[in-house]
Amino acid sequence: MKRLAEISLKGQPGAFAGSLMNCSADLVARACEGDQEAFRLIFERYSRPLISFVYDQVGNRELAEELTQETFVRAYRSLRTLREETKLSTWLFGIAKNVARESLRARRRTNQHVDLDDKLVLNLSDRGPVPVKQLLNKELNEVIQNSLALLDEDKRLVFTLKVFQQCSYEEIAEITGFSIPKLKTDLHRARTEMRKRVGSYVRVES
Amino acid sequence: MKCDDCFNLLEEYIDGEAIERDAAQVSAHLITCAACAHEFEALTAEREVYARYDRELTVSPAMWSAIAARTTESRPINSGSRFSLGGWLAGLFATPRYAFAGAAAVVIFAVLIGVMFLRTRTPERPPPPETVARINNPAPTSPTPDVVANSHPPKMGEPVLSGPERHPLSEVSAAKLQKNPRRSDQSGVLFTDAAYTDIEDKDTANHVAQAENLLRSVRNLQTSDDNEEVDVSYEKAESRRLLDDNVVLRRDAEMAGKYPVKKLLGELEPFLIDIANLPDKTTPTDLRAIKDRVQKTEIVAALRSY
């Protein structure tokens, strides 16, 4: 098995020039060679999905930013261990999952309560009259966030990876280490639990 | 396709995870079944609601600055030619796929090193002579194997056999017991599963070797045609000792799921019982019956092939 870091770009005409050179494998190879710009491009590409994913796990904005930062630092330090057959996104989500879980467990051990953000509600009161649609969206966001927080860790993990990050079952299995039957069961149960809380916001045309 | 089957597959279908055949069947069913189609719409609407979920998160430029600062400080991955064990281990544990396996491997490796160290550190203490004698001769009145060999003068008409031929077991087992004094001197060994299994395997191997020698010894016992009784006191004592071990080892093998070992020890046990229940001086007929069974069942070959 070849490591991505071992892919040499030297001697290739137009290396780094074309957009083709910005595919994940090339970015990793360049970052491994010490190209900071390549790693910045990786950050730009994956920071949004990763911070969303981490936020869904921990439910706190500041903590999510801190953990996303930690995810990228860890990823940078172990880029050489990334193997060719592993998708960069899957690998990054795996690191993010570990970082988020470690944080949640550390807080649980020290009995620190992770507060969910109440920023959405504060924003509503600060802005005065709000259009109904916007109000509903804010409310819905809050309901979804609270409902996610009520899921247990495994179910939340599987649900957010599938529903929000559109990962395939294989990718989820690789990120979480769960078997496909387990993640299918967790996903189904998570959906059922979420439906109970979010169901009233779902409008079906009859 | 039945509605129940369709219902069970709907989530996978919506996720694009249903296999081709199932997806085709669900599609066909949704056209004809209003109830399932309604369920499908509900799931689709639910998906749209989740798609609207806005966390109002922004990735601040400060985040990249912080990451850049931290990665520039350390730059562990760019020191290509210089290998750092610490960095390699840190990278290994940061990688989600290998985190658990890596940790487990390190723990197992450390335990094995510890066990090997403790085993080599334990001073070689040969068991006192009286212990060896007691192990070889559990019956208080039985003489030691050497004594047996020397104190058993050939009878008239009996072929003269040298000590080892008469009792090959005595010297072999004594030597083995001195080399590996079974579980009597394992105080320095950490009883991890791995170490325990290893010791059990060695015990079983020693036991099988001793049993094989015993059965060979019995098979080689000479019987006369004039119904003269044969002295089997040594074989009997040895068989009793082996019988106790056999029961324990057979149960251990069963517990550990080592069924071939369990089967072998199970086949051996009736022979040990029969020999252990012989009188000190047995009739040639009884002895011949055991010898015939040893021959017929090829138990010695089975023991040897362990």
Side-chain angles (χ1 to χ4, degrees), chain A residues 31-32 34 36 39-40 43 47-48 51-52 55-56 61 65 69-70 72-73 76-78 80-81 83 86 91 94-95 98 120 137-138 140-141 144-145 159 162-164 168-169 174 184 187-188 191 194-195 198 201-205, chain B residues 7 11-12 14-17 38-39 41-43 45-47 49-60 62-64 66-72 74-80 87-88 90-99:
Chain A
C32 284
Q36 191 80 355
F39 193 66
R40 196 187 62 76
F43 171 80
S47 55
R48 260 197 91 75
I51 198 171
S52 303
Y55 178 73
D56 288 342
R61 204 170 303 271
E65 278 182 19
Q69 193 179 308
E70 176 63 21
F72 276 104
V73 172
Y76 183 77
R77 287 179 181 159
S78 50
R80 279 183 184 277
T81 66
R83 295 189 179 273
T86 311
W91 186 71
I95 297 175
N98 284 350
L120 300 174
N137 281 345
K138 295 272 181 193
L140 178 64
N141 288 343
I144 292 175
Q145 192 196 340
F159 182 84
K162 183 73 225 175
V163 175
F164 298 133
S168 68
Y169 288 169
E174 198 165 338
K184 275 187 186 176
L187 182 60
H188 176 69
R191 273 188 164 127
M194 289 293 284
R195 197 169 298 140
V198 183
Y201 294 85
V202 179
R203 216 179 61 189
V204 186
E205 305 290 335
Chain B
F7 186 78
E11 283 183 8
E12 280 182 38
I14 282 228
D15 289 339
E17 299 278 358
H38 184 75
E39 191 61 34
E41 277 172 25
L43 283 172
E46 201 176 283
R47 209 176 162 190
V49 164
Y50 293 133
R52 287 212 306 271
Y53 177 41
D54 182 9
R55 301 165 189 82
E56 296 186 356
L57 290 165
T58 49
V59 179
S60 63
M63 193 193 286
W64 168 248
I67 292 168
R70 284 178 70 186
T71 50
T72 314
S74 50
R75 300 179 67 85
I77 62 161
N78 297 325
S79 54
W88 179 76
L92 194 66
F93 283 101
T95 312
R97 288 180 65 182
Y98 303 112

Side-chain angles (χ1 to χ4, degrees), chain B residues 280-291:
Chain B
D280 282 351
K281 287 185 187 274
T282 186
T283 60
T285 321
D286 290 345
L287 185 59
R288 217 172 285 128
I290 293 174
K291 285 169 72 171

Side-chain angles (χ1 to χ4, degrees), chain B residues 11-208:
Chain B
E11 283 183 8
E12 280 182 38
Y13 178 72
I14 282 228
D15 289 339
E17 299 278 358
I19 57 169
E20 209 173 312
R21 190 171 54 89
D22 289 344
Q25 286 182 346
V26 171
S27 297
H29 183 80
L30 288 177
I31 295 167
T32 57
C33 176
C36 288
H38 184 75
E39 191 61 34
F40 174 74
E41 277 172 25
L43 283 172
T44 312
E46 201 176 283
R47 209 176 162 190
E48 282 166 14
V49 164
Y50 293 133
R52 287 212 306 271
Y53 177 41
D54 182 9
R55 301 165 189 82
E56 296 186 356
L57 290 165
T58 49
V59 179
S60 63
M63 193 193 286
W64 168 248
S65 307
I67 292 168
R70 284 178 70 186
T71 50
T72 314
E73 270 170 25
S74 50
R75 300 179 67 85
I77 62 161
N78 297 325
S79 54
S81 57
R82 271 171 47 197
F83 175 78
S84 147
L85 181 65
W88 179 76
L89 279 173
L92 194 66
F93 283 101
T95 312
R97 288 180 65 182
Y98 303 112
F100 179 74
V106 168
V107 169
I108 290 168
F109 182 71
V111 168
L112 285 176
I113 292 289
V115 169
M116 284 168 68
F117 173 73
L118 284 171
R119 287 188 116 185
T120 50
R121 206 171 134 260
T122 308
E124 281 288 325
R125 278 183 303 174
E130 63 271 20
T131 313
V132 176
R134 199 168 55 243
I135 291 168
N136 284 332
N137 297 288
T141 51
S142 304
T144 61
D146 290 342
V147 175
V148 171
N150 296 331
S151 66
H152 188 67
K155 293 171 187 169
M156 291 294 285
E158 188 182 38
V160 179
L161 296 168
S162 65
E165 280 170 328
R166 176 66 184 86
H167 288 291
L169 180 63
S170 57
E171 285 185 3
V172 174
S173 56
K176 276 185 179 172
L177 283 168
Q178 278 184 340
K179 239 184 205 175
N180 180 17
R182 294 184 60 74
R183 296 174 206 178
S184 58
D185 190 19
Q186 292 163 357
S187 53
V189 177
L190 280 177
F191 268 79
T192 61
D193 283 351
Y196 189 77
T197 310
D198 189 38
I199 290 165
E200 281 300 315
D201 287 347
K202 279 186 183 171
D203 278 353
T204 309
N206 280 335
H207 172 78
V208 167

Side-chain angles (χ1 to χ4, degrees), chain A residues 4-9 16 21-44 46 72-82 88 91-92, chain B residues 64 67 71-72 74-80:
Chain A
L4 284 175
E6 289 160 7
I7 298 172
S8 173
L9 298 168
F16 311 136
M21 295 315 294
N22 284 336
C23 74
S24 296
D26 294 322
L27 287 176
V28 171
R30 283 163 54 191
C32 284
E33 294 294 316
D35 184 348
Q36 191 80 355
E37 180 60 15
F39 193 66
R40 196 187 62 76
L41 287 173
I42 293 175
F43 171 80
E44 278 190 3
Y46 294 105
F72 276 104
V73 172
R74 281 197 199 181
Y76 183 77
R77 287 179 181 159
S78 50
L79 262 182
R80 279 183 184 277
T81 66
L82 176 61
L88 179 60
W91 186 71
L92 287 170
Chain B
W64 168 248
I67 292 168
T71 50
T72 314
S74 50
R75 300 179 67 85
I77 62 161
N78 297 325
S79 54

